[in-house]
Amino acid sequence: MTEIQEIPIHLIDDFPGHPFQIRMDEDMDQLVESIRQNGVITPVTLRPKPGGRYELVSGHRRKKACELAGLKTIKAEVKNLSREEAIIFMVDSNLQRTRILPSEKAFSYKMRLEAMNHQGRRYDITLSPMGTKLRSDEELAQKTGDSRNQIQRYIRLTYLLPELLDMVDEGRIAFRPAVEISYLTKNEQKDLLETIRYEDATPSLAQAIKMKEFSQAGKLNADVILSIMCEKKPNQKEKYVLKAEKLKPYLPQNITPQQTEDYILKALEYYHRYRQRQKEQGR
């Protein structure tokens, strides 16, 4: 059984390339308060490094919460793990989260498959403990619930420019179009990013597929991207975009995004009635 120790936080380094974000949200506030009152209930997992330092394998949120709570040490179990074993442990422990961003899945799946490969397994065919032949992504699919093809789609997202990947995380670009545009070259993605910003529109799946086909034929450039993005989408409706910084001076403080639309509509209704009264008085 692994011994639980109190390890000084300043001796702990974060896991290199850790793909999961630490969000400073309400959940973090609750975790900090819980640690202040009860301490760390579930120990973090570390692996030893040369020079008396440690690498954090699992528990990045708990470590951050301890720092915010002002603690100097953290309850931890220290395991002698290889790099590949540490990656697999780190990914598997974080995939239990209730909310995982597409980018987090993308990089964690990629890291885990590479770790499995470095352990002496192959991406194509590998022997499972039961003696049956499984692909590495099939083995990962059994653990995660995502299909083998879906895992490969997520990994394609790692080929996106960071700015485009952020849009996927924010929900501005849908998952399947994002997979298709991941096949564009970096320069083509830069041209697409500029078009998205200029046109304030993101590609549909059909548009993304068309851009991929042009790219593979060596015929995609900024003009072609603009032409494709300007094509009318099925069931496209006219929309109005209001920038938050322009609205802010006219909105009440602490108004929520859900309340903003009602507030603007009531203001327009009031203005419309005011203009009608002016017209009637001017007759």
Side-chain angles (χ1 to χ4, degrees), residues 61 64 71 142 146-147 163 177 199 210 241 271 279:
R61 289 184 72 251
K64 183 62 178 180
L71 302 185
Q142 291 179 357
D146 279 325
S147 70
E163 297 89 342
E199 295 294 321
K210 185 177 288 189
V241 178
Y271 179 74
K279 286 181 181 179

Side-chain angles (χ1 to χ4, degrees), residues 222-240:
D223 291 335
V224 173
I225 290 173
L226 179 60
S227 175
I228 292 172
M229 289 291 291
C230 287
E231 293 174 356
K232 190 169 183 179
K233 302 175 186 176
N235 303 319
Q236 183 173 346
K237 296 180 180 178
E238 187 176 8
K239 67 176 182 179
Y240 299 94

Side-chain angles (χ1 to χ4, degrees), residues 8 20 66 74 96 112 118 142 170 179 185 214 235 275:
F20 297 93
C66 284
I74 188 170
Q96 307 305 317
R112 199 185 193 287
H118 292 159
Q142 291 179 357
E170 294 163 2
V179 172
T185 67
F214 272 89
N235 303 319
R275 293 285 293 169

Side-chain angles (χ1 to χ4, degrees), residues 44-282:
V44 301
T45 302
L46 311 175
R47 69 175 188 141
K49 293 178 64 176
R53 298 191 65 81
Y54 300 89
E55 184 175 275
L56 183 57
V57 178
S58 174
H60 286 71
R61 289 184 72 251
R62 280 164 281 165
K63 174 176 172 282
K64 183 62 178 180
C66 284
E67 292 172 343
L68 294 173
L71 302 185
K72 301 300 181 184
T73 64
I74 188 170
K75 191 183 297 182
E77 58 176 357
V78 180
K79 293 188 174 184
N80 289 306
L81 302 171
S82 68
R83 169 70 178 166
E84 290 73 28
E85 289 170 338
I87 288 173
I88 292 171
F89 190 99
M90 178 271 295
V91 171
D92 288 353
S93 61
N94 279 280
L95 286 177
Q96 307 305 317
R97 293 185 180 190
T98 54
R99 179 177 174 236
I100 304 176
L101 296 174
S103 64
E104 294 174 329
K105 273 194 175 185
F107 284 102
S108 63
Y109 283 170
K110 184 177 183 180
M111 289 177 71
R112 199 185 193 287
L113 285 181
E114 288 175 349
M116 293 166 71
N117 187 44
H118 292 159
Q119 282 185 322
R121 304 176 181 180
R122 302 207 316 270
Y123 279 108
D124 51 356
I125 298 295
T126 181
L127 286 175
S128 75
M130 298 298 293
T132 57
K133 291 184 177 181
L134 286 175
R135 288 170 51 125
S136 295
D137 50 8
E138 286 177 343
E139 187 175 338
L140 182 55
Q142 291 179 357
K143 290 180 177 293
T144 63
D146 279 325
S147 70
R148 192 184 79 200
N149 289 338
Q150 187 74 343
I151 288 170
Q152 295 298 343
R153 291 187 192 104
Y154 271 111
I155 292 175
R156 281 302 317 174
L157 300 184
T158 66
Y159 294 90
L160 288 172
L161 293 178
E163 297 89 342
L164 291 172
L165 188 52
D166 286 343
M167 291 182 185
V168 181
D169 282 343
E170 294 163 2
R172 294 179 57 195
I173 299 179
F175 178 73
R176 289 304 297 272
V179 172
E180 299 301 322
I181 64 178
S182 74
Y183 289 92
L184 306 187
T185 67
K186 294 302 181 186
N187 285 334
E188 290 167 349
Q189 290 187 38
K190 288 178 183 177
D191 289 336
L192 173 60
L193 183 61
E194 286 301 311
T195 303
I196 288 173
R197 289 169 173 166
Y198 184 78
E199 295 294 321
D200 194 23
T202 56
S204 66
L205 178 57
Q207 290 171 330
I209 291 173
K210 185 177 288 189
M211 281 186 272
K212 176 185 173 183
E213 291 172 347
F214 272 89
S215 175
Q216 291 175 335
K219 297 179 179 179
L220 190 66
N221 56 41
D223 291 335
V224 173
I225 290 173
L226 179 60
S227 175
I228 292 172
M229 289 291 291
C230 287
E231 293 174 356
K232 190 169 183 179
K233 302 175 186 176
N235 303 319
Q236 183 173 346
K237 296 180 180 178
E238 187 176 8
K239 67 176 182 179
Y240 299 94
V241 178
L242 301 174
K243 297 193 177 207
E245 60 269 20
K246 291 185 178 179
L247 291 174
K248 192 173 181 180
Y250 307 103
L251 296 174
Q253 291 185 350
N254 301 323
I255 190 171
T256 67
Q258 291 78 10
Q259 295 170 328
T260 299
E261 182 179 353
D262 289 339
Y263 185 88
I264 292 173
L265 289 174
K266 287 178 182 177
L268 288 172
E269 183 182 350
Y270 177 84
Y271 179 74
H272 178 71
R273 290 202 303 267
Y274 170 75
R275 293 285 293 169
Q276 285 294 110
R277 285 198 301 269
Q278 279 193 323
K279 286 181 181 179
E280 292 171 359
Q281 292 172 359

